Amino acid sequence: MANVEVSLKETMASIEGALGVALVDYTSGMALGTLGGGKDLDLLVAAAGNTDVIRAKNRTMEMLGLQDDIEDLLITLGSQYHLIRLLKGRGTTGLFLYVVLDKRNSNLAMARHQLKRIEEALEL
């Protein structure tokens, strides 16, 4: 089992093209941990902003009467993928992993696979 710091490091090391990663509590919008990013990628701002995305999608699903769970959300930009994976394990309710990928140097299918594996190993 891996803690937050180990999980963030594993994400950056195992996902090709990863530019930054955050573990976020979407009930508060607070990042519980970040790694990577930089002056052009403020992960704290992104964590708070993507919390609104999750909340909006949950409201929409509720209005549509969808009785299902979100696995992940993908936002595709010109040069980046922003991947949000909602965590479902014990003790992870209300959390998501957020990873930003360089579109030119990443494999989206492998990134999703790795995030699932990292989620399964994460222990809070």
Side-chain angles (χ1 to χ4, degrees), residues 12-113:
M12 291 297 289
S14 69
I15 298 180
E16 189 174 347
L19 301 173
V21 62
L23 178 64
V24 184
D25 176 346
Y26 67 82
T27 59
S28 68
M30 299 290 294
L32 304 178
T34 64
L35 190 62
K39 81 174 178 68
D40 294 330
L41 178 58
D42 186 332
L43 290 170
L44 297 178
V45 171
N50 283 303
T51 293
D52 292 337
V53 172
I54 298 295
R55 289 177 184 162
K57 187 59 186 171
N58 279 330
R59 278 192 309 272
T60 302
M61 288 177 61
E62 187 177 305
M63 288 187 290
L64 292 171
L66 297 176
Q67 300 298 315
D68 211 345
D69 294 323
I70 299 170
E71 286 184 16
D72 55 43
L73 298 169
L74 172 65
I75 300 167
T76 305
L77 304 179
S79 63
Q80 297 174 343
Y81 292 123
H82 290 228
L83 187 56
I84 301 167
R85 176 147 185 106
L86 277 72
L87 304 184
K88 302 289 186 225
R90 183 175 43 92
T92 62
T93 302
L95 302 179
F96 66 88
L97 276 169
Y98 167 68
V99 64
V100 178
L101 307 169
D102 181 330
K103 201 172 177 182
R104 296 162 294 167
N105 299 319
S106 61
N107 178 323
L108 188 55
M110 285 303 296
R112 291 183 70 223
H113 175 75

Side-chain angles (χ1 to χ4, degrees), residues 1-11 21 23 32-33 35 87 92 95 97 117-124:
M1 300 308 251
N3 66 20
V4 173
E5 182 180 351
V6 170
S7 295
L8 296 177
K9 287 180 180 177
E10 176 69 16
T11 301
V21 62
L23 178 64
L32 304 178
L35 190 62
L87 304 184
T92 62
L95 302 179
L97 276 169
R117 185 184 59 74
I118 291 163
E119 171 191 5
E120 290 169 353
L122 178 62
E123 185 175 287
L124 297 176

